[in-house]
């Protein structure tokens, strides 16, 4: 039976667990701390937006930010996790994948996955279980997989 990796992630960190089959429980493979994900926009943005002149006339205006800095930080972290998952897939360390994250970060994570890694996703759970103890994690995965 193929091993399943369970990724429990949020903007501030992630844990990668492995399940080797029914009744085998969860083994923590890796814990990734991401303190930047806990920052607020005002803590990330130290500079004011750039300014520009209008194309006609002498009026000036600030450039609009395309997206909030916290969103950018979360997207970058999702890409980091995706790289770890790609590396595990390339080593054939797992054959199935379960993603657990709050809805917004789950969207970031799914967007960051390569097509090959995304094809191994068995299930997704849109809950922030970042603070859940490893011994309690199996209760939250009930119905998705037998651990």
């Amino acid at each position: 039976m193929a091993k399943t990796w369970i990724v429990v992630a949020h903007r501030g960190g992630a844990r990668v667990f492995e399940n080797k089959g029914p009744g085998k429980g969860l083994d923590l493979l890796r814990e990734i701390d991401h303190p930047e994900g806990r920052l607020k926009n005002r803590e990330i943005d130290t500079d004011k937006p750039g300014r520009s002149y209008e194309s006609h006339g002498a009026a000036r205006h600030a450039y609009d930010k395309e997206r909030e800095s916290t969103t950018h930080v979360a997207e970058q972290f999702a890409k980091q996790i995706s790289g770890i998952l790609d590396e595990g897939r390339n080593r054939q360390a797992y054959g199935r994948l379960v993603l657990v994250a709050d809805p917004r970060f789950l969207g970031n994570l799914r967007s960051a996955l390569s097509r090959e890694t995304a094809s191994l996703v068995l299930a997704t759970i849109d809950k922030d279980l970042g603070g859940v103890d490893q011994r309690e994690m199996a209760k939250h995965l009930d119905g998705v997989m037998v651990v």
Side-chain angles (χ1 to χ4, degrees):
M1 175 175 269
K3 295 175 188 173
T4 302
W5 276 14
I6 299 97
V7 178
V8 179
H10 53 93
R11 291 182 352 181
R15 291 180 288 171
V16 180
F17 297 98
E18 180 179 74
N19 173 255
K20 295 178 183 170
K24 303 283 185 180
L26 297 174
D27 296 319
L28 180 63
L29 295 178
R30 187 167 183 177
E31 194 159 358
I32 308 155
D33 192 32
H34 187 249
E36 296 88 358
R38 294 183 200 87
L39 298 175
K40 305 220 181 304
N41 277 324
R42 69 180 182 283
E43 296 169 321
I44 297 170
D45 296 332
T46 58
D47 294 335
K48 291 182 179 179
R51 300 189 64 79
S52 173
Y53 286 98
E54 291 288 335
S55 58
H56 301 286
R60 291 185 63 185
H61 61 86
Y63 287 121
D64 289 334
K65 292 175 70 172
E66 288 186 26
R67 61 182 184 271
E68 292 184 346
S69 296
T70 54
T71 301
H72 176 72
V73 168
E75 289 169 351
Q76 293 303 109
F77 185 50
K79 287 179 184 176
Q80 179 184 347
I81 294 169
S82 175
I84 291 166
L85 297 175
D86 282 343
E87 188 268 329
R89 177 184 47 80
N90 289 334
R91 288 187 296 112
Q92 298 179 344
Y94 67 93
R96 293 185 307 251
L97 187 59
V98 175
L99 303 176
V100 182
D102 70 85
R104 179 177 283 171
F105 192 72
L106 183 60
N108 291 337
L109 192 52
R110 290 184 67 101
S111 294
L113 294 178
S114 67
R115 183 176 40 233
E116 297 83 8
T117 299
S119 71
L120 299 178
V121 174
L122 172 70
T124 57
I125 299 174
D126 60 349
K127 291 183 182 178
D128 183 358
L129 301 180
V132 173
D133 186 72
Q134 181 176 343
R135 295 179 301 259
E136 301 294 317
M137 193 63 66
K139 294 177 187 175
H140 296 279
L141 298 174
D142 190 35
V144 174
M145 60 183 298
V146 179
V147 292

